[in-house]
Amino acid sequence: MSSTEEILQQIDTATADRTVSDHAMRCRPMPEPEAAQQLGDLVRAFVRALQPVVQAAAATLRQLDEALRAAGHTPGGKPDRRRDRPAWQSPYGPPPRRKR
């Protein structure tokens, strides 16, 4: 066989391959009900296992929030502006001078 015939044979083999149908790339396979049920059970078990950890973390964060509020820290407060320069001046210093 010549190289042209080999290439054509490879193309024919690739286009005539029916191990995957023509519709395989256009649609998704339908999920099996058992698989969906197993996945749902797995997710529910995962949530039940994590629930005590999340509740403990929430309680700890609530205590931290209360301690910070008691210390005078307010949530979302803006940082104080620097008093060593005017309000209009950049916190990064004066702008660079233009080269002439």
Side-chain angles (χ1 to χ4, degrees):
M1 238 186 223
S2 69
S3 63
T4 305
E5 288 177 11
E6 290 174 6
I7 292 172
L8 290 174
Q9 180 64 34
Q10 290 174 358
I11 291 172
D12 288 341
T13 303
T15 56
D17 184 15
R18 296 291 179 215
T19 56
V20 177
S21 72
D22 296 336
H23 301 288
M25 296 301 174
R26 287 189 257 165
C27 64
R28 295 181 185 166
M30 295 299 289
E32 296 180 20
E34 299 90 29
Q37 182 65 34
Q38 288 175 350
L39 181 61
D41 293 343
L42 179 67
V43 169
R44 279 188 285 281
F46 181 74
V47 168
R48 275 194 306 266
L50 245 80
Q51 192 171 7
V53 175
V54 171
Q55 288 175 344
T60 303
L61 289 173
R62 198 173 301 114
Q63 290 173 354
L64 176 64
D65 179 52
E66 291 169 2
L68 288 173
R69 286 178 193 260
H73 295 280
T74 58
K78 289 185 176 181
D80 291 336
R81 70 175 185 88
R82 294 179 61 164
R83 305 284 181 203
D84 62 340
R85 57 177 59 108
W88 53 265
Q89 190 176 7
S90 166
Y92 305 108
R97 296 183 184 267
R98 283 195 238 166
K99 295 180 181 178
R100 295 183 181 192

